[in-house]
Amino acid sequence: MTTEPIPDQPRRKVKNFSLLSNRAGAAFLTPAGLLVSVFVIVPFFWVIFVSFTNRTLLGKTALSPEFVGLANYFALFDPSNFFQRGQFGFSLILTTQFVLASALLGQALLGLLLAWLIQTVPAWVKRITETFVIAAWILPEVVIGFAWFAFLDRDQGTLNALLTGVGLPKGDFLLKQPFWVIVVFNTWRGAAFSMMLFSSAFSSIPPSYFQAADVAGASSWQKFKDIGLPLIRGHIVTDLILITMWTFNTFTPFLLTNGGPSYRTELVSIYNYRVAFHDFQFGKGAAVGVIMMLINLAFALIYLSIGRKKKKG
Amino acid sequence: MKLTLPAFIGRIAFSALAALIGAAFALPLLWFLFAPFNARAELGLAIPDPWTLANFVTVFGNNFAVQALWNSLIQSVGGVILVGAAATLAAYALSRSSLPGKGAVTYVLLLFSSVVSGSAAMVPIFLIVSAAGLIDTHLAVILTFAGGLLPTAMFILRDFIDSIPKSYEESAMVAGASPVQAFFDVALPVIRPGIVVVVVWGFVNIWGSFLIPFILLRSDDQMPASVAIYSFYSEAGTPIVTLLAAYSLIYSLPVIALYLFVSWKFGFRFFGGIKA
């Protein structure tokens, strides 16, 4: 950094006047800069580096890992077992289905429906519904995991008690339909965000639009389709990108199913955990991390470019 | 305005549907409202008869459980102090100085923070913490969270500071205050609400987190409550669910209290929505 004396700043254009000198500014940025560098930026590059080694948690290769080139990536993308259960391809496909079903269909649609419903229902219905939807979202993930564990219990769980109450057979959902369990679980857990985003978008539409439609005799569905939906298109895109990123990275289903039974709920985040911390293959785990980050990068770039356009336009 | 009959039926149908969805969301949580107060609750839903606080007494008599709550507090408060202080200084610099390239810094930070998530970066984070010799320490969790939460905290605060007129500090400096004095005596009190939001948001994030402490900590006496609860119900043997329910409720209370505080003070909008 050049340390030229700053000549009479206040007398120059007001725009260039800054309250904080460059030196003070740099000092103010240092603590945050250090922390972010060490725990955000270095991991990004380190994970790439480690993914080219055979590093393990224990043993000789823990201390002196060897460079193995692309071997970890070849192992991940081995066509002979790529789609087998417990392999990388299986968990990638599983994660894609999980994101499509629980984020894009589940959270976004349910959030949209809820946001529309609570605009028109009486205040007390709105408040009670909102309370439970938001509670599902703000409570700590471990508590939620445990609550669902109890809820789904085969012999005593509330769900089976309800099912038998109306004459339906009991189900052992965690064992028999584990994928659908985590889909419903994630929809339940995350719908609040979409609901709130859409709800604030709907309430920013001038009420006169809807009043005019009322006068013309429009139904609720017509108002939703022709006024509400087109006006919140930007919010829908934002919502879809954000919930896709979060759902793609989520580790919470681990608390409910541990990735099992027999790898049937092993999302990529859980696969990454198992390979690195259960099988101790850090190099391979790092390669999974790199691929996850590349996918995150693609979504982040889309998100940021949309955000920039919005700021300009 | 008079409602026509179809419109009236529509209203009722809407309310019924909203109530039904609300009930579906409530179902998995209802058990939590009752089980902690039930002397012999099982995993099933049952109204306590009689209501009892014995489970809470037992939880507070369990050293491991209390220690874990204490650990959660150390890690959350430590992390939040670091995030709050570092983010305030940095956001102020980004807003008020004319450092070259600060726009680019902001952009790159936003990009990195959304790319490097805990679940994608667990291997390098473990290796960094391990290289620093910090595995199984509170400091490891505190530093990792501070680093991870900082980019977002800086954005929230920078937005906030940008919205405050510079004339406050300018007039202080005209009156002879140094820039540092202007920051501490003039700007800081004004941006306090922004700091409160960031601190509450950071606290809830660290308090509720599972993966990072699960990876970085080994021994029982370092574990936060999230990991303790998980090990209580996931490990072999039948968990004593009444105690676990009571413990989970105690563990959730700070989050609920902070949520109520924020919605009362600021109006709840997207607080907590930005996950680390």
Side-chain angles (χ1 to χ4, degrees), chain A residues 19 28 40 46 120 122 129 137-138 141 147 156 188 196 220 245-246 249 255 258 269 272-273 282 289 296 304, chain B residues 14-15 18 25 32 42-44 89 96 110 114-115 117 119-120 122 128 147 210 214 230 233 255 268 273 275:
Chain A
L19 287 163
F28 274 32
V40 179
W46 202 341
T120 49
T129 304
W137 183 56
I138 59 159
E141 54 184 342
Q156 302 165 359
W188 178 89
M196 285 189 287
S220 185
M245 283 184 75
W246 293 334
N249 286 286
L255 297 168
N258 248 308
S269 59
N272 191 2
Y273 170 78
F282 273 19
N296 285 341
L304 287 179
Chain B
F14 267 40
S15 296
F25 272 83
F32 252 117
E42 289 158 346
L43 288 167
L89 290 174
R96 297 299 204 233
L110 189 56
S114 41
V115 169
S117 75
S119 55
M122 54 179 123
I128 288 168
F210 171 77
F214 187 57
Y230 175 73
Y233 79 78
V255 174
F268 185 77
K275 305 242 162 101

Side-chain angles (χ1 to χ4, degrees), chain B residues 33-104:
Chain B
L33 295 177
F34 297 122
F37 303 99
N38 200 330
R40 39 170 200 86
E42 289 158 346
L43 288 167
L45 186 60
I47 308 283
D49 178 33
W51 291 72
T52 171
L53 292 176
N55 296 321
F56 295 95
V57 176
T58 318
V59 167
F60 282 113
N62 181 323
N63 283 335
F64 177 48
V66 174
Q67 175 73 40
L69 280 172
W70 182 242
N71 292 337
S72 283
L73 196 66
I74 294 175
Q75 289 161 16
S76 307
V77 171
V80 146
I81 290 174
L82 206 52
V83 169
T88 305
L89 290 174
Y92 189 74
L94 287 176
S95 175
R96 297 299 204 233
S97 77
S98 52
L99 279 174
K102 63 179 187 175

Side-chain angles (χ1 to χ4, degrees), chain A residues 85-130:
Chain A
R85 262 194 208 169
Q87 298 297 331
F88 185 56
F90 182 82
S91 86
L92 261 188
I93 304 257
L94 192 75
T95 309
T96 310
Q97 292 167 335
F98 178 68
V99 168
L100 285 174
S102 75
L104 299 185
L105 285 176
Q107 289 183 11
L109 278 185
L110 189 59
L112 195 60
L113 175 68
L114 275 166
W116 187 252
L117 281 180
I118 60 177
Q119 307 289 316
T120 49
V121 301
W124 64 274
V125 178
K126 171 185 159 133
R127 211 171 307 131
I128 295 175
T129 304
E130 268 185 342

Side-chain angles (χ1 to χ4, degrees), chain B residues 197-214:
Chain B
V197 168
V198 162
V199 162
V200 169
W201 165 80
F203 183 92
V204 171
N205 261 295
I206 307 178
W207 182 267
S209 69
F210 171 77
L211 179 61
I212 295 291
F214 187 57

